[in-house]
């Protein structure tokens, strides 16, 4: 036998068993987003390279994006993130959109990173954004929706924490240390790596950026100061509003959170498992210039993105992924042979018209094998239609959980099935 | 103002207005697939080029697929179709899967074709497949699910027809005309183009393939013979089973249907609008060798794929696309100012905990503007929380449809809201 052709490294196969979990996550996301008035949207998965260039940060565009020339010779990218597409679409319809906009989306993204636990090259992302409002209330709102999703899937603040900071506040602190304005982005990248690099490598990196020892020491001290947020009006307001929203317990200030993307301008935040075993579950913040940067009339935005991989790892760690049978079929109608094909499909048809989920076994194999198939799938009811049953105008209804079997006149079949299904679903 | 960065040609932007229709289609697909016992799954969107090579047909792979080298130097393709991925995944798990498999999927695909009405370069496709059964019942079943989707969205056999043929039967007919075996694929491509090329161009194409005049005339006559299916046991059985399934009125035999993909081996079918204004709505058929061709143990399959573009054009033509408001928010809570932020968010929180969909206006702008926003969005209820209301322990509830406004004590707010929503949803 030839070798089976392989899948692409970093992609995932969703068999029905995995797909029900994917839908489980999507359904929670959908319900939570709707509860806060967010509307679902979707952008193209292919965008021009120009859309990302100089806006998403060099690492994402130059090192991680899948970029190629299409057959017409244009440089296109498989989207590595959604916010630039959001900015483009909002810019295009700015005049007709009724602000504030509350939009969410769940779709595939691609980044060429080394595949590892919690990281795939093709992954899904929940994006949720609020545009057209500059107030910290909006930052607090999107962050609170993130916490609502965690609650919805059963996580608590004992397992997950959302860490918050302000880019403006950090700008101010970094300026106080004596870093000139044109070095701020570089210093933010330095801050972003404080937990990713060893102490000595981090110090080297700081020196390479031109910081003197005094500045590095001051920066290092600043990154350990958990109370400085009280000096920021913006952060004070953020935490007050989050408190009003009833979700203060999910949040804490962390001066090390600056987020890697260049377009953030205000409040930034990220969620992690408390024990820091995994990568960030989600990250986001305010981006007040992005729509203007893609060529649109300026409009403020704030939002976050959550990948599908880490949140499911964390949920799994705490036993929160549900056991779900991908088979939702309620009834298997057996097939005896050529002479009874008509009856099997007629019965199935009638049951389906009564909103029941029904399979007909497609081949006239041994009855035992048909029943075994139903049993393995977890289909609770098998309807046997053989020559005996056809002669008598009845069908045989078998409940696989109990083995009970009885002959039912065709006329009362739907009612009988409903009774069985109700009795099986009650405890 | 700079020019707004453009989207990639042939891709589509799904604003919330378009997204509700996308979900509408998905929800019909999901419900119909489940009613027949099909389970949702999803494949990667990136696959190796090898997976498609020599299986999907030259046109699809060499001319239409988006193929590129990833950063590691491997040739990968954005999937132009799903069936090869299905074959790969089934081959990989062949031993643990409980056959027959009934799987469906809805996701994005890419083909570099000239964008035109009914055709996008990035599009979505519903795929539905039944594997592990060789019987014509299975072909009839998947075809009947296609007709069930049409019924579900309100189409009838007056608008849409599913045309059916058999590759085996055509092989036999083409052999009778005197075409040698090694020319059959070429002649199938000739048949596939009979309605796409002018008569003279079609004749030229036939001669180029090495057919003599006698053969071309015989082929041409054969393609007009609508009754020859009665000579095929397979097609007789197909139409008999389709009749048992109660959907015979959706189907007719058509000798011109052979479908373009090389891997089809048995029954093939495609659906079109009766007036032939559009491209095929869906197409499918049996592929008994594909799993073996990707390196797996042989297993039969039959299924179809339906793009999202043409079916919506046809549905729209017959007025079947629903008017849907993407805003599902039930209540807007207004924001008066700093002193009442706490109350606004507390009220919103309580309503959400009672399963209501609630927005808080994020900025303390003029009340008139907040109400106008709700009105434009179609949010039926506005809760006004000003200093007067706060002092009295009541909130003001305004119904936008009637303009009615009344002060409600906080304690009975949820009940009042529910009553209003119920009265508004009843006729």
């Amino acid at each position: 036998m030839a070798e089976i052709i392989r899948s692409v490294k970093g992609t995932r196969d969703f068999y029905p068993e995995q797909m029900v979990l994917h839908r489980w996550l999507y359904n929670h996301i959908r319900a939570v987003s709707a509860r806060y008035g967010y509307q679902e949207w979707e952008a193209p998965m292919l965008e021009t390279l120009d859309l990302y260039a100089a806006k998403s940060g060099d690492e994402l565009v130059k090192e991680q994006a899948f970029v190629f020339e299409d057959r017409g010779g244009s440089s296109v990218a498989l989207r590595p993130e959604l916010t630039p597409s959001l900015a483009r679409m909002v810019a295009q319809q700015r005049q007709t959109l009724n602000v504030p906009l509350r939009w969410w989306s769940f779709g595939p993204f691609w980044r060429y990173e080394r595949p590892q636990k919690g990281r795939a090259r093709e992954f899904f992302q929940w994006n949720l954004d609020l545009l057209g409002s500059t107030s910290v209330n909006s930052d607090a709102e999107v962050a609170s929706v993130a916490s609502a999703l965690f609650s919805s899937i059963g996580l608590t603040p004992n397992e997950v924490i959302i860490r918050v900071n302000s880019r403006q506040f950090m700008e101010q602190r970094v300026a106080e240390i004596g870093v000139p304005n044109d070095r701020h982005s570089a210093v933010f990248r330095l801050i972003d790596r404080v937990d990713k690099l060893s102490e000595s490598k981090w110090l080297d990196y700081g020196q390479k950026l031109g910081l003197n020892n005094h500045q590095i020491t001051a920066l290092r001290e600043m990154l350990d100061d958990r109370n400085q947020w009280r000096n920021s009006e913006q952060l004070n307001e953020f935490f007050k509003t989050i408190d009003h929203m009833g979700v203060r317990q999910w949040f804490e200030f962390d001066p090390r959170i600056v987020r890697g993307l260049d377009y953030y301008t205000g409040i930034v935040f990220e969620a992690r498992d408390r024990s820091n075993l995994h990568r960030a579950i989600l990250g986001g913040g305010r981006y007040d210039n992005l729509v203007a940067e893609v060529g649109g009339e300026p409009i403020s935005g704030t939002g976050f993105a959550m990948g599908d991989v880490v949140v499911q790892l964390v949920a799994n760690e705490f036993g929160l992924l549900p056991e779900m049978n991908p088979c939702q079929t309620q009834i298997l109608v057996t097939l005896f042979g050529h002479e009874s094909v008509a009856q099997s499909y007629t019965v199935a048809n009638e049951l389906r018209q009564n909103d029941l989920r029904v399979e007909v076994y497609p081949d006239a194999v041994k009855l035992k094998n048909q029943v075994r198939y139903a049993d393995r799938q977890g289909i609770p009811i098998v309807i046997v239609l053989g020559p005996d049953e056809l002669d008598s105008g009845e069908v045989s209804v078998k409940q696989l959980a109990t083995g009970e079997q009885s002959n039912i006149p065709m006329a009362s079949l739907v009612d009988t099935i409903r009774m069985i299904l109700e009795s099986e679903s009650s405890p």
Side-chain angles (χ1 to χ4, degrees), chain A residues 257-366:
Chain A
I257 303 301
V258 291
R259 301 298 301 157
L261 297 168
D262 284 350
Y263 51 64
Y264 287 125
T265 55
I267 293 284
V268 286
F269 57 91
E270 73 177 35
R272 281 188 186 266
D273 61 306
R274 285 264 185 195
S275 39
N276 254 316
L277 289 173
H278 303 284
R279 308 176 83 206
I281 302 172
L282 60 81
R286 174 166 289 279
Y287 47 92
D288 277 347
N289 306 324
L290 189 59
V291 175
E293 278 170 8
V294 302
E297 202 180 302
I299 179 173
S300 314
T302 183
F304 64 84
M306 179 187 87
D308 68 324
V309 181
V310 177
V311 70
Q312 293 197 64
L313 280 178
V314 174
N316 187 40
E317 201 167 292
F318 295 102
L320 298 172
L321 294 185
E323 296 265 346
M324 294 167 87
N325 182 358
C327 178
Q328 292 296 303
T329 304
Q330 296 162 310
I331 304 143
L332 176 74
V333 178
T334 60
L335 192 70
F336 185 78
H338 267 285
E339 63 282 19
S340 65
V341 170
Q343 282 80 1
S344 288
Y345 284 112
T346 306
V347 167
N349 217 7
E350 194 190 330
L351 294 171
R352 288 191 190 113
Q353 277 163 9
N354 283 277
D355 272 337
L356 294 163
R357 296 186 295 275
V358 184
E359 291 178 37
V360 177
Y361 202 93
D363 305 285
V365 298
K366 280 186 191 150

Side-chain angles (χ1 to χ4, degrees), chain A residues 23-34:
Chain A
R23 275 297 146 210
W24 166 82
L25 181 62
Y26 173 84
N27 288 337
H28 277 283
I29 285 171
R30 177 177 194 79
V32 168
S33 304

Side-chain angles (χ1 to χ4, degrees), chain A residues 395-416:
Chain A
V395 295
S396 173
V397 174
K398 190 178 167 82
Q399 294 174 248
L400 294 197
T402 60
E404 273 177 75
Q405 186 158 358
S406 47
N407 290 338
I408 309 290
M410 289 290 284
S412 56
L413 181 60
V414 171
D415 290 342
T416 306

Side-chain angles (χ1 to χ4, degrees), chain A residues 100-121:
Chain A
L101 303 177
R102 286 181 168 91
W103 287 8
W104 72 276
S105 181
F106 184 76
F109 295 83
W110 294 265
R111 291 183 194 172
Y112 195 82
E113 298 181 277
R114 187 176 298 280
Q116 60 183 51
K117 200 173 181 195
R119 189 152 73 181
R121 286 183 180 168

Side-chain angles (χ1 to χ4, degrees), chain A residues 36-244:
Chain A
Y36 286 79
Y38 286 73
Q39 301 177 17
E40 193 180 13
W41 69 289
E42 181 59 290
M45 286 142 220
L46 285 181
E47 293 274 13
T48 63
L49 183 58
D50 290 348
L51 183 65
Y52 305 101
K55 281 154 216 102
S56 303
D58 276 359
E59 191 191 2
L60 196 59
V61 178
K62 295 200 181 138
E63 292 168 28
Q64 297 178 351
F66 282 86
V67 178
F68 61 100
E69 290 209 342
D70 69 16
R71 287 173 190 265
S74 312
S75 270
V76 293
L78 282 173
R79 61 183 189 189
E81 57 151 342
L82 191 63
T83 317
S85 299
L86 172 65
R88 178 181 64 70
M89 283 174 56
V90 170
Q92 276 168 4
Q93 300 278 325
R94 185 69 184 81
Q95 295 315 314
T96 61
L97 294 169
N98 188 24
V99 292
L101 303 177
R102 286 181 168 91
W103 287 8
W104 72 276
S105 181
F106 184 76
F109 295 83
W110 294 265
R111 291 183 194 172
Y112 195 82
E113 298 181 277
R114 187 176 298 280
Q116 60 183 51
K117 200 173 181 195
R119 189 152 73 181
R121 286 183 180 168
E122 177 178 278
F123 57 98
F124 286 78
Q125 220 181 45
W126 174 33
N127 276 262
L128 183 131
D129 294 89
L130 198 165
L131 287 100
S133 158
T134 53
S135 83
V136 175
N137 294 333
S138 298
D139 300 305
E141 176 176 309
V142 296
S144 77
V145 179
S147 72
L149 187 274
F150 296 148
S151 291
S152 177
I153 63 174
L155 288 165
T156 75
N158 293 327
E159 290 103 39
V160 169
I161 183 76
I162 306 177
R163 301 199 169 97
V164 183
N165 197 359
S166 156
R167 281 252 185 152
Q168 281 127 321
F169 183 53
M170 282 297 105
E171 294 265 2
Q172 181 195 324
R173 296 307 317 270
V174 167
E176 283 165 17
I177 289 168
V179 176
N181 279 345
D182 62 356
R183 291 275 165 76
H184 285 192
S185 304
V187 170
F188 281 174
R189 281 197 291 281
L190 180 65
I191 296 174
D192 193 38
R193 298 208 179 145
V194 66
D195 293 325
K196 295 171 189 159
L197 300 177
S198 68
E199 177 124 14
S200 66
K201 280 197 176 154
W202 189 79
L203 293 173
D204 287 352
Y205 187 23
Q207 279 166 344
K208 213 174 292 167
L209 292 178
L211 301 191
N212 61 37
N213 283 347
H214 168 75
Q215 289 169 333
I216 292 181
T217 309
L219 186 63
R220 189 69 225 216
E221 272 175 29
M222 193 268 277
L223 294 181
D224 286 329
D225 179 357
R226 303 268 154 181
N227 286 310
Q228 56 186 314
W229 65 273
R230 297 184 191 277
N231 303 322
S232 157
E233 202 184 324
Q234 192 183 35
L235 285 165
N236 268 293
E237 205 182 326
F238 179 90
F239 284 108
K240 211 169 63 189
T241 308
I242 276 290
D243 196 15
H244 297 327

